[in-house]
Amino acid sequence: MVKFRRLASPINLPIHGPKTPLPLPSISPLLSVSEDKPDIIRLGSPYDRLDRFFIGLKPTWGGIDAIEFTEGVDVAYVQQRQIQDIQPLKFTETSHTNLVNLKEVFVAKKMVYFLYDSWGISLEQIQELSPKLQLGEVEVATICQGILEALQYVHTVLGISHGHVSLPNILITRDGTVKLANIGESMIQGSGQDRKENDIQAVCAIARLLLGLDTTSGLRGTIGFLAEDFTGAPKTITATGLLKHAFLQIGAGPWCLRPLNILCTLARQSYNI
């Protein structure tokens, strides 16, 4: 009778060679995604994706490096930035009417590509046409309310500061909606109470500039006094608190800002700017 050799269980088989565990796959230290947030991070360059169609812009258009025109999906606006110091980053999808919302983030080596859902004409472009094109109190109040609504979301929901509240980063879309841009860069820089205070003070400074309060002499009407009081808000005030100011009550909503894109185009043509 033939004797069969009994095989040992594979669990108990002796291990030959060095008893060192196999290394587990590691996650790039550049990426950090919250488990309760949708994953919007992609590795590599978006331009290398065969299923996506982008048109590059040289020179850039208002800070936009490319526009996506992939069939079946909404148009996306691409900003690419170089990261000098590699550190853990956390990105999350955003959703607010007054924010240029972040849709996707591509990370390739030390480059980051932000894909946003909308764009528009910036306050910097509008201000370049001054005094040919001058905004009034109603338009400025509407713009300030939109910025503060966006900052309220950024400060409380996202829990960060924006850090770059300035004329180039405040956009007016074709339908007259005020949008705060470049939230992706804000997620890189992090937060801080002093930075949140600086965001609010930046809104006040923008209002003073657009209304020309520092260059106008003499007495002003009731709305002028309200504007002066609004722009002189204390540093400790929050976006929620400043949204209650009476100056913002004269705002008329997006409809009063809809003509700005056309008016800017006409002003450039008329004055050869």
Side-chain angles (χ1 to χ4, degrees):
M1 183 175 179
V2 180
K3 294 183 178 180
F4 293 95
R5 184 179 178 184
R6 184 179 179 183
L7 298 178
S9 169
I11 299 177
N12 299 321
L13 287 176
I15 300 176
H16 300 285
K19 298 181 179 181
T20 55
L22 293 175
L24 295 175
S26 59
I27 300 176
S28 170
L30 185 65
L31 305 179
S32 175
V33 186
S34 177
E35 294 181 356
D36 59 346
K37 301 290 185 182
D39 183 7
I40 64 170
I41 298 178
R42 310 284 183 265
L43 295 180
S45 169
Y47 309 140
D48 295 335
R49 300 288 295 267
L50 298 180
D51 59 338
R52 310 283 286 266
F53 177 61
F54 297 87
I55 295 180
L57 303 177
K58 289 186 178 181
T60 60
W61 171 63
I64 294 298
D65 296 281
I67 302 178
E68 180 180 15
F69 293 102
T70 302
E71 184 179 1
V73 299
D74 294 332
V75 173
Y77 301 84
V78 184
Q79 279 188 333
Q80 55 192 56
R81 296 290 183 265
Q82 186 172 8
I83 300 179
Q84 299 296 333
D85 299 322
I86 296 181
Q87 54 185 341
L89 303 178
K90 180 177 291 186
F91 297 106
T92 182
E93 191 174 9
T94 62
S95 178
H96 193 276
T97 302
N98 298 113
L99 202 64
V100 178
N101 288 299
L102 187 62
K103 297 173 56 178
E104 289 181 283
V105 180
F106 284 79
V107 180
K109 295 182 179 179
K110 292 189 176 183
M111 292 295 297
V112 176
Y113 303 83
F114 301 111
L115 273 66
Y116 293 106
D117 68 343
S118 58
W119 210 252
I121 186 172
S122 70
L123 285 187
E124 182 180 47
Q125 294 171 297
I126 296 174
Q127 189 64 14
E128 287 174 352
L129 299 173
S130 178
K132 276 75 176 181
L133 179 62
Q134 190 74 37
L135 298 177
E137 286 92 346
V138 173
E139 291 88 353
V140 173
T142 304
I143 290 170
C144 289
Q145 181 168 1
I147 304 171
L148 289 171
E149 294 279 4
L151 287 177
Q152 185 182 45
Y153 173 83
V154 172
H155 291 175
T156 59
V157 178
L158 300 182
I160 61 175
S161 61
H162 187 275
H164 304 282
V165 181
S166 57
L167 296 182
N169 288 332
I170 300 168
L171 310 178
I172 310 296
T173 63
R174 291 187 178 275
D175 64 357
T177 303
V178 180
K179 298 274 189 180
L180 184 59
N182 291 340
I183 190 62
E185 292 189 24
S186 303
M187 293 180 183
I188 293 178
Q189 72 180 11
S191 182
Q193 185 59 38
D194 56 337
R195 291 179 178 176
K196 292 180 180 180
E197 294 174 356
N198 291 339
D199 286 346
I200 305 302
Q201 291 302 308
V203 178
C204 297
I206 288 172
R208 292 194 68 85
L209 176 64
L210 296 178
L211 292 173
L213 297 182
D214 295 327
T215 58
T216 303
S217 59
L219 295 176
R220 303 175 63 89
T222 303
I223 302 302
F225 286 123
L226 285 176
E228 285 280 1
D229 188 70
F230 174 82
T231 59
K235 293 184 178 181
T236 55
I237 197 167
T238 63
T240 303
L242 196 53
L243 278 168
K244 300 176 183 178
H245 197 280
F247 173 67
L248 300 182
Q249 296 180 10
I250 69 171
W255 72 266
C256 72
L257 302 177
R258 288 174 190 164
L260 285 179
N261 279 272
I262 297 176
L263 291 176
C264 287
T265 301
L266 294 176
R268 290 193 185 95
Q269 293 176 351
S270 300
Y271 297 99
N272 296 321
I273 298 177

